[in-house]
Every structure is written in C-alpha cells, then in structure tokens.
Amino acid sequence: MTRRIPQARERGIPDATVARLPLYLRALNGLAERGIATVSSEDLAVAAGVNSAKLRKDLSHLGSYGTRGVGYDVQYLIYQISRELGLTQDWAVAIVGVGNLGRALANYGGFVSRGFRVAGLFDADPAVVGERIAGLVVEHADGLESVIRKRGVSIVVIATPATAAQQVCDRVIAAGVTSILNFAPAVLTVPDGVDVRKVDLSIELQILAFHEQRKASGGPMMGDEWPDGVVVVSERGAALGEASQ
Amino acid sequence: MTRRIPQARERGIPDATVARLPLYLRALNGLAERGIATVSSEDLAVAAGVNSAKLRKDLSHLGSYGTRGVGYDVQYLIYQISRELGLTQDWAVAIVGVGNLGRALANYGGFVSRGFRVAGLFDADPAVVGERIAGLVVEHADGLESVIRKRGVSIVVIATPATAAQQVCDRVIAAGVTSILNFAPAVLTVPDGVDVRKVDLSIELQILAFHEQRKASGGPMMGDEWPDGVVVVSERGAALGEASQ
DNA sequence: CCGACTTTGTGCATCTCTTCACAAAGGCAC
DNA sequence: GTGCCTTTGTGAAGAGATGCACAAAGTCGG
C-alpha cells in the first residue's frame, strides 16, 4: 500500500494565496534592496500588511522554505515565489485600446521590470494608429490576431470602451489567448479555460462610498420607499479606458 | 423574552455582497437603457456574470424588493441599490499624483456619471502644478489638507509613486479623510476606521501569469533547487501611477 | 555536547461565502 | 374564485479562508 506523503506543492495553491504572493514578492524585494538577507514571518507579514500566521500558511503551500529559529532567506524566497508565479519567464503582453488608460498602461514602468513585455499596442481609430507610445507604434486592431500569433502574446489587456470589449475578447481568444486583464466596465463572457481578471475604478469607488456612508450616518436613510419624483439617471457606458477604439 | 425578528437590512451587508452590488447596478442600467422594466434573478444574474442563487441572496440582504413569479422592477432596484451604496449623494474626490495614471483617472468619464465629482488634482512637481486637466487646474500638494477640508473631500485617490504614497496617506487622514483608493504599489498603514482599497496592475498580471503557467506546463518546472548562477533582479519601485509627485 | 530560545509549519476551531433545493408567494388564465 | 405556473427568498449543507496556539525543528552561546 503506497502511502501518499502529503507534499506541499502538490497541486492546487488556494486562490487567496496566489493573490497574496505578489504582495510578498514586493515586500521581499523591498527588503532585498535594503540589504536584508533573512526575515522572519512576523517581519515579512508586517511589511506585506498581513497576519503572520496567514503568511506562514501561504508559504507552506509552496514548500518548506523557512528555517525554524531563523526565518526565511530573502533571496531564496524571492526566487521561489517568482518561479511559482511564472515570473522567471518572459510574458508578451498586448494592450488593446490606446485611450487615456491604455497610454498610462503602456508607459507603466512596472511592466518591464517583472517579466512582462509590451509586445503590441492596438486601436481601431485610424487617428491613433501609427502614433508612437512608449517606444511602440500603435497598430490597427485589424492585425490583432496575426500579431498575437506571430509575437507569441499570451496576455491581453483590454482598455477599450465597454462596447468594444466583448468583441475584442472574442477575437483574442480565437487567436489563442487564455489570459485577459479587463479594464472595460463590461462583463466578459469567455469559454472554460480562459482566465479573466477585471479592474474597475468605478466599482472600487462605489464600494468606498458604501463604507463611507455607513461611517457618516448610521446607515442610509431609513425607510425603503420610493421618494416622490425620483428619477434615476442612467449610467453612461463610460469606461475608465474609454479610448478611440 | 424578546424574539428578534430577523430583518433584512438589519446592519451588516456581507463584504462579498457589497463588492457585487455595483456589478448588478451596471447590469440593471444596461437593461434600463434597453427599456426593460422587469427582470428575473436568472436574467439579471447572466447579465452580471454571476450565479442566480447568489444574486438573490445578495439582494435579499437589502430587503425584499422582488415579486415572486415576476422578478424585480428594474428602476426600483436601481434606486434601492444606488441608495444602499450611497450613490444618491454627491462625493467629492481628490486625485493626488498627476502622472500618466492620474491624468487618465481625471479624464475618466465614469466619475461624474455616478455621484463622484473630482474636486481637486494635486501634484508635488512645480512643472505640473498649474496645468489644466479635465477642466481642473492642478494644485500643489502643499495645499492638500486645506483643500480637503474646504471642499469637503471624502475620498482620495492616490496615484503617486510608491515612495510618496504613505506620506500622502498620512496627510489626508490627518485632514479627516477615511476612504482611500490606492494605485501606488505600496502597503499603506492606516488607523482603524479608515478604509483603503488598492488597485495594482502588476499584481493582476502576476496572478494571470501564475494561471497561464499552470495551463501551459503541468505546473512550474519540478525541482526546488536554486539553479546555478541565478541572480534575482530587484523589482523597481515603479508605480502604475508613477507621477511626478 | 547541552539546554535555552526562537521561529516555523500545521491541526483545529471558527467564520465567511457559496450553492443547492424547495416551500411560500404571487400572477394569470379560465 | 380556483388552480397552475413562475420566481422569489431562505434554511441548510458544503467549501474555502482565517487565526489561534503549540509541538517540532533548528540556532546559538557556553
């Protein structure tokens, strides 16, 4: 009878843990820059803004990389987390939609520094196509599929208006992309096996407003009635990345 | 013995629910624009990209606003969710750090449309101060506290480089702000009662890379060893919102 | 070589969130 | 009115994440 020795790094690191690994990585890089060679879970937890028990449990999912009585070797842990996150390889990223946000993303310094390389900028507006941004020439969205295949793009950032998002999404998936970062305020429908993460400024602000309201009053005005004459104004489809797409 | 009748809208809507309300709101606004007066939990769930049981449970935390056998009145539900989120009032927002991202945020159309009003733009760089962006003149960061108080700013968006983020954070909190949206890749330390939400492009990409790697190979290369000669390059403190602050 | 001290890794209890499944509620046709 | 049909609202079970608390493992000074 073969007893399975419970092995960390089995398969399946909890999502919540994966979401925190980049945080630890950043904290570790900060420590490394300050020349710190070893760190305890307690100190690293403070630097990353989490509870130390949680940090230890998270790291235990990767393996036993700490030394009891001492802590974690900063460089070694940086390497292990980077490897787990897939940052030891180079990822080609394409940005679709070169509006205000698309430009900001293209110029984002943190891209290059972490294994992500902007391999293409796309827009549907002829007025924008040809423009040079962050060392890249904006290409017409017509060439999306071929460029994705040719340059091995595996992650696409959608920064188009909401109305164009699904269409762009469908096209890049057809071209083989399975990881999408969506800045457009739209729900993307994708087949199984495709990962979508969304970033939405408007939603974040609304969540803050909720808590702010709770703090200010003791909750929203009591009474669930329709006030007379209320007309709820429709939300515009305005996108954070509302570009010329 | 006083039996508490479990009352929806008691106090305390689950965080997970609050985070989804803006999603429902957007979906409802889409339906309203198409002139739809009534919607079932099933249809609304599809439009919002969630499971219908979850949607119903979420809405049940606000109250009993549906009609069995029929569904939900679109306009009424829009109003109720808006009220719960505090969107029936006007929130003054200040943006600190007018780099690429700060500019994109200032020009973001979705701001105005939803009860959020940009009441001030700040930067520490004299070269940027005085510039006119989205109808507002950029002010020097020195005036942060007084402007916050004078204009009743209750939400601050931090789009500065990581190095300046904590300092800006401390200052706006001292000025009475208790809701912060942080785009700088830094962990902010705040006293109790202050809400911070963070948006970090780099983290989102790293999470995508993790899943992408899992899909591509059968996990990261086996073997936990340090490869010879590996030098882990330090992460630059490069911020999405790396501005001139 | 030993004993005191530090810090990890984890079993366990708890809490939160999700999902299922169905009784209760209401509309509608006749 | 009455009965059928649709859809909500929710109890309960399940899954996942969190945090405590401590045994095990390792360091270090003497």
Side-chain angles (χ1 to χ4, degrees):
Chain A
M1 156 191 178
T2 27
R3 233 306 237 86
R4 293 281 287 115
I5 295 156
Q7 181 120 23
R9 319 229 16 266
E10 191 85 31
R11 207 47 36 202
I13 295 176
D15 284 348
T17 294
V18 173
R20 281 187 294 265
L21 291 180
L23 221 56
Y24 303 152
L25 194 51
R26 176 188 297 155
L28 285 164
N29 278 314
L31 295 172
E33 269 172 30
R34 286 160 47 204
I36 295 168
T38 284
V39 66
S40 69
S41 65
E42 184 57 40
D43 291 350
L44 182 53
V46 169
V50 302
N51 167 311
S52 71
K54 180 151 54 179
L55 173 87
R56 287 199 299 277
K57 185 152 290 186
D58 282 344
L59 294 184
S60 77
H61 286 115
L62 310 190
S64 256
Y65 296 147
T67 308
R68 295 175 191 229
V70 177
Y72 300 88
D73 181 283
V74 173
Q75 291 298 330
Y76 185 57
L77 196 52
I78 285 175
Y79 171 71
Q80 290 298 346
I81 294 178
S82 295
R83 190 170 56 81
E84 196 66 48
L85 287 173
L87 304 181
T88 50
Q89 57 189 285
D90 192 65
W91 298 101
V93 176
I95 298 174
V96 185
V98 190
N100 284 311
L101 180 67
R103 281 160 215 266
L105 296 178
N107 284 304
Y108 175 36
F111 253 134
V112 196
S113 67
R114 273 247 141 278
F116 300 100
R117 180 172 45 85
V118 181
L121 299 177
F122 298 88
D123 205 298
D125 182 356
V128 180
V129 173
E131 198 177 328
R132 193 175 198 82
I133 296 171
L136 282 160
V137 175
V138 178
E139 299 166 76
H140 193 278
D142 286 348
L144 203 48
E145 289 87 346
S146 73
V147 171
I148 284 173
R149 293 207 179 87
K150 211 174 306 172
R151 299 185 201 152
V153 170
S154 45
I155 300 176
V156 168
V157 176
I158 298 181
T160 66
T163 48
Q166 183 66 55
Q167 191 201 340
V168 169
C169 175
D170 293 343
R171 287 179 57 193
V172 302
I173 289 172
V177 169
T178 58
S179 294
I180 294 171
L181 181 52
N182 178 33
F183 283 86
V187 174
L188 296 182
T189 305
V190 299
D192 281 356
V194 176
D195 285 306
V196 177
R197 295 195 63 84
K198 69 176 196 301
V199 174
D200 193 317
L201 166 69
S202 175
I203 286 181
E204 298 301 325
L205 282 175
Q206 289 173 51
I207 295 170
L208 281 175
F210 171 84
H211 291 294
E212 187 69 21
Q213 169 171 259
R214 280 291 156 100
K215 282 182 281 194
S217 61
M221 60 171 172
M222 290 304 156
D224 299 343
E225 301 311 313
W226 259 129
D228 291 334
V230 161
V231 175
V232 180
V233 179
S234 279
E235 180 180 40
R236 286 181 42 240
L240 173 52
E242 193 153 53
S244 35
Q245 169 84 2
Chain B
M1 157 190 174
T2 26
R3 239 297 242 90
R4 295 279 288 110
I5 296 156
Q7 181 120 23
R9 318 228 20 265
E10 190 86 33
R11 209 43 40 200
I13 295 175
D15 284 349
T17 295
V18 172
R20 281 186 295 265
L21 290 181
L23 221 56
Y24 303 151
L25 195 51
R26 175 186 298 154
L28 284 165
N29 278 314
L31 295 172
E33 268 172 31
R34 286 160 47 204
I36 295 167
T38 284
V39 67
S40 71
S41 65
E42 185 56 40
D43 291 351
L44 182 53
V46 169
V50 303
N51 166 312
S52 72
K54 182 151 54 179
L55 175 94
R56 286 199 300 279
K57 183 146 289 187
D58 283 343
L59 294 184
S60 77
H61 286 116
L62 311 188
S64 254
Y65 297 146
T67 307
R68 293 171 194 235
V70 176
Y72 300 88
D73 181 283
V74 173
Q75 292 298 329
Y76 185 58
L77 197 51
I78 286 175
Y79 171 70
Q80 289 300 346
I81 295 180
S82 295
R83 190 170 55 81
E84 197 66 50
L85 287 173
L87 304 180
T88 48
Q89 57 188 286
D90 191 64
W91 299 100
V93 176
I95 299 175
V96 185
V98 190
N100 284 311
L101 179 67
R103 281 160 214 266
L105 297 177
N107 284 305
Y108 175 35
F111 253 135
V112 195
S113 66
R114 272 245 141 279
F116 300 100
R117 179 173 45 86
V118 181
L121 299 176
F122 297 90
D123 206 298
D125 183 356
V128 180
V129 173
E131 198 177 327
R132 194 175 196 81
I133 296 169
L136 280 160
V137 175
V138 178
E139 299 167 76
H140 193 277
D142 286 348
L144 204 47
E145 289 88 344
S146 72
V147 172
I148 285 173
R149 293 207 178 87
K150 212 173 305 172
R151 298 184 202 153
V153 169
S154 46
I155 300 177
V156 167
V157 176
I158 297 181
T160 66
T163 47
Q166 183 65 57
Q167 191 201 340
V168 168
C169 175
D170 293 342
R171 286 179 57 194
V172 303
I173 289 172
V177 169
T178 58
S179 293
I180 293 171
L181 181 51
N182 178 34
F183 284 86
V187 175
L188 295 181
T189 305
V190 299
D192 280 356
V194 176
D195 285 306
V196 177
R197 295 194 65 85
K198 68 174 198 302
V199 173
D200 193 317
L201 166 69
S202 176
I203 286 180
E204 298 301 324
L205 283 175
Q206 289 174 50
I207 294 170
L208 282 175
F210 171 85
H211 292 293
E212 187 70 20
Q213 169 170 260
R214 280 291 158 100
K215 281 181 283 194
S217 61
M221 60 171 172
M222 291 305 154
D224 300 343
E225 301 313 313
W226 259 128
D228 292 333
V230 161
V231 175
V232 180
V233 179
S234 280
E235 180 181 37
R236 286 181 43 241
L240 173 53
E242 192 153 55
S244 36
Q245 170 82 359

